[in-house]
């Protein structure tokens, strides 16, 4: 689990620097949904991720 935590932390830093608060919120929902097998959290994280991918980048 240590490797997953490191990967999650690095991915979180990258998402936060690139997408700001929405990126962090997206990773939070995806992480919680994956760990607890909560389909609502997974769906919310996926929808936010799709929204971020569709937004134009500066």
């Amino acid at each position: 689990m240590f490797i997953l935590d490191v990967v999650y932390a690095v991915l979180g830093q990258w998402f936060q620097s690139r997408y700001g608060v929405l990126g962090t919120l997206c990773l939070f929902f995806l992480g919680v949904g994956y760990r607890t097998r909560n389909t609502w959290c997974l769906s919310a994280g996926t929808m936010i991720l799709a929204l971020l991918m569709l937004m134009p980048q500066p």
Side-chain angles (χ1 to χ4, degrees), residues 13-20 53 57-58:
Q13 287 294 327
W14 180 74
F15 254 65
Q16 186 174 13
S17 67
R18 182 162 172 102
Y19 298 114
M53 294 298 138
Q57 296 300 316

Side-chain angles (χ1 to χ4, degrees), residues 39-58:
T39 56
W40 186 90
C41 283
L42 283 172
S43 297
T46 304
M47 288 174 27
I48 294 172
L49 181 63
L51 177 70
L52 289 173
M53 294 298 138
L54 291 175
M55 286 175 42
Q57 296 300 316

Side-chain angles (χ1 to χ4, degrees), residues 12-36:
Q13 287 294 327
W14 180 74
F15 254 65
Q16 186 174 13
S17 67
R18 182 162 172 102
Y19 298 114
V21 176
L22 277 178
T24 305
L25 187 65
C26 169
L27 286 180
F28 173 76
F29 278 131
L30 289 174
V32 168
Y34 177 74
R35 285 185 184 241
T36 63

